[in-house]
Amino acid sequence: MNMKDTGMNKAELIETAKKYMNEQFPRFDFIAEKAKGMYIYDEEGHAYLDFLGGIAVNAAGHCNERVSKYVKQQVDEMVHSSNYCFTIPQIMLAKLICETIGMEKIQFQNCGAEANEAAIKLARKYGVDNYGPERYKIVTALNSFHGRTLGTLAATGQPDSAIQKGFAPFTPGFKYAEFNNLEAFKEAATDDVIAIMVEPVQGEGGVFPADKEFLEGLRKLCDEKNMLLIFDEVQTGWGRTGELMAYMTYGVKPDIVTMAKAMGGGLPIGAMCTSEKLMNTFGPGAHGTTFGGNPVACAAAYAQIEELLEKKLSENAKEVGAYFREKALTLPHVKEVRGLGLITGIEFDQNIANELKYTCAEKKYLLMTAVRPAVVRLVPPLIASKEDCDKAIEIMRETILEIAK
């Protein structure tokens, strides 16, 4: 659907949106009408260099030809059946993912929060079934983000942020420990804890990569105490950090891994992967979903992952991400640059992130922020080039000089 189909102009469309839609956050002042590759195009055809990437979703680029082809074909054949039926896209995607990342079983969900909910439920049931009703607690990291459902909200370690304020009482059974502090996690891992759940790179929290020794220590701790290690790879999965999954970057394999965003090629899909033994904890009726593994979403995900593998986009993410962070260090008012692959956080010495985001959008360059008001987060498509990075840096440089005090 384009603007001509609506019979309204830009101002009328935006007014209609404000009248009927609840806003998650203030939107950019344009209507995204088309997209291709590294660019989004507004209602007048202006091109915006996209380092927001649909919030780490469009890993193979906007309107990737392979993804579009598979989706169009599947829409013509079948849009939805139900999970009472076997469907070819779901079967083939399950095989592709499990064999590619070295997991045995997968359960499809609709998004990252649902994938994390499934992981939490699986860990709890495993603990109760095998060790008794008192062993259900999960330790997560301070400054983490695992989703906005009540369960994943409780798992999110940001008690003083707007993300959690006003939604108490939370689902019980979660404890928080300082990220990258192995001793804090050891102290929190009491006898009633069944799992540790962390992001290999904290994204929403400000882009903080885990130390290798920290994740290695968590793996050892979980093995020693018969606990499960869960990696939330909703944002880091499928090439973002320079390997197909972030746990491959670190050489630390979790018991359970969750994914979404980049796996779907732009369509909503998520998944939880684990071993056959653990997945068998979910007996009939224990966990389910109506739309999880939808044929169209699975077709898009299959195409997206094929594209990531064939074009070796994780390798491009590693090379281009390192180049981008090196250039980012030359920006004015930079306090620190953090990241891994093509997830980068730039922290400034002033709280200018939000203003930078909207002013850069006016200059046809898109980025996003983190919870911290001094941090911008960049998660562009994994097809980004060094030339794209140079252009992005120059727009940021110009904008920072305009807005910084």
Side-chain angles (χ1 to χ4, degrees), residues 249-262:
T249 306
Y250 289 95
V252 178
K253 188 175 180 180
D255 299 295
I256 302 170
V257 61
T258 61
M259 61 192 73
K261 291 188 180 286

Side-chain angles (χ1 to χ4, degrees), residues 54 59 87 108 145 150 155 158 168 170 178 183 211 225 227 252 272 308 329 334 336 339 369 375 393:
T87 63
F108 292 110
F145 180 80
L150 282 176
Q158 298 195 38
F170 297 117
E178 184 182 11
E183 293 305 313
D211 297 331
K225 302 200 70 170
M227 298 186 303
V252 178
M272 173 191 69
L308 295 175
L329 286 168
V334 167
E336 187 176 15
T369 55
V375 179
I393 290 294

Side-chain angles (χ1 to χ4, degrees), residues 139 141 177-186 189 196-199 210-225 227-231 252-253 255:
V139 182
E178 184 182 11
F179 190 65
N180 273 333
N181 185 335
L182 182 58
E183 293 305 313
F185 272 81
K186 286 181 178 179
I196 289 173
M197 181 177 184
V198 295
E199 303 157 274
D211 297 331
K212 190 172 189 293
E213 296 75 16
F214 172 64
L215 295 187
E216 290 174 338
L218 292 184
R219 178 70 277 173
K220 183 179 179 183
L221 175 63
C222 287
D223 290 341
E224 290 173 347
K225 302 200 70 170
M227 298 186 303
L228 303 177
L229 181 60
I230 305 170
F231 282 174
V252 178
K253 188 175 180 180
D255 299 295

Side-chain angles (χ1 to χ4, degrees), residues 49 51 323-324 327-328 330-332 356 360 363 365 386-402:
L49 179 60
F51 268 55
Y323 177 85
F324 181 73
K327 292 292 183 179
T330 69
L331 291 171
L356 183 64
C360 280
K363 299 177 185 293
Y365 168 56
K386 292 180 180 179
E387 291 73 22
D388 294 325
C389 294
D390 290 339
K391 183 176 179 180
I393 290 294
E394 287 312 305
I395 295 174
M396 276 195 287
R397 187 186 310 280
E398 175 186 322
T399 308
I400 292 164
L401 291 173
E402 287 179 11

Side-chain angles (χ1 to χ4, degrees), residues 201-213:
V201 181
Q202 291 190 327
E204 182 75 26
V207 188
F208 289 93
D211 297 331
K212 190 172 189 293
E213 296 75 16

